[in-house]
Amino acid sequence: MVKQSFLFVVLAGLMVSSCSVSKSARTQRNLFSGSWTLDNISYENNSGNFKATIFNDAEDICFEGSDWFFRDNNSTGRYTISQSTLCQGGDRFFRWSVVEPSQNYSSQLQFKFIDEKRKDISGGLGYRLNISSINEQSMTLRSNVSVDGEPVTIVYQFSKK
């Protein structure tokens, strides 16, 4: 009986430690928590005028001024696009997390779309944005895409509300 109890405690400890999040990721999650405004979307590493559909949802211009909310206690959030002649307004809900850095990338924000009842509506597909910087007042995220075979970096600049 003692051996079984000891084995259970060891296995439980391994499970908890394998699911734990690093201090860096916890800090970043805490910084995400709350309301943000996406102030600007710009493009780097290529020249020209770009018009992009962001997150397979709306044109880039629709996202400028959008409101974003991240809830860290249940990893859900939403962004709200204002209705206009170019933009389908409304709330979009998502589940999010911070992905630990590796040799190939810095920390990343990862999210996928869900409905109001927190059910996956994206078939398990999602998005990852590199976290360039984040603090209590501002956040910069980047995503690398390809345009006509050439690399382009989309830069998202947020301010905390």
Side-chain angles (χ1 to χ4, degrees), residues 99-108 110 128-130 144:
V99 179
E100 299 284 334
S102 79
Q103 290 178 331
N104 299 329
Y105 57 83
S106 62
S107 295
Q108 295 178 315
Q110 159 179 281
R128 282 192 178 183
L129 304 171
N130 296 322
N144 299 315

Side-chain angles (χ1 to χ4, degrees), residues 22-157:
S22 74
K23 183 177 179 182
S24 170
R26 273 194 313 273
T27 300
Q28 287 182 329
R29 281 184 59 79
N30 290 339
L31 288 170
F32 269 100
S33 186
S35 297
W36 297 83
T37 299
L38 178 50
D39 298 311
N40 186 50
I41 296 176
S42 60
Y43 301 88
E44 294 178 343
N45 302 330
N46 211 316
S47 60
N49 293 326
F50 295 97
K51 177 179 170 183
T53 299
I54 306 293
F55 310 130
N56 226 13
D57 180 16
E59 289 184 23
D60 51 2
I61 190 128
C62 297
F63 279 89
E64 292 189 2
S66 61
D67 293 318
W68 290 65
F69 178 74
F70 295 88
R71 180 174 286 120
D72 68 342
N73 67 348
N74 69 1
S75 301
T76 61
R78 65 150 171 65
Y79 63 83
T80 305
I81 294 178
S82 297
Q83 180 70 36
S84 73
T85 55
L86 293 175
C87 309
Q88 176 76 29
D91 291 332
R92 279 75 160 169
F93 300 93
F94 55 85
R95 180 165 310 284
W96 66 279
S97 62
V98 173
V99 179
E100 299 284 334
S102 79
Q103 290 178 331
N104 299 329
Y105 57 83
S106 62
S107 295
Q108 295 178 315
L109 168 67
Q110 159 179 281
F111 70 95
K112 67 178 183 174
F113 290 108
I114 58 174
D115 63 17
E116 297 85 2
K117 297 178 183 174
R118 300 185 189 147
K119 301 287 185 205
D120 178 21
I121 60 171
S122 57
L125 300 175
Y127 300 90
R128 282 192 178 183
L129 304 171
N130 296 322
I131 303 170
S132 294
S133 66
I134 185 168
N135 60 43
E136 293 83 9
Q137 295 88 28
S138 65
M139 166 171 65
T140 302
L141 305 175
R142 287 182 160 75
S143 62
N144 299 315
V145 297
S146 180
V147 176
D148 296 330
E150 297 293 321
V152 175
T153 302
I154 305 174
V155 181
Y156 308 87
Q157 296 174 315

Side-chain angles (χ1 to χ4, degrees), residues 9-22 26 100:
V9 169
V10 169
L11 288 175
L14 286 173
M15 287 178 59
V16 169
S17 67
S18 67
C19 295
S20 68
V21 177
S22 74
R26 273 194 313 273
E100 299 284 334

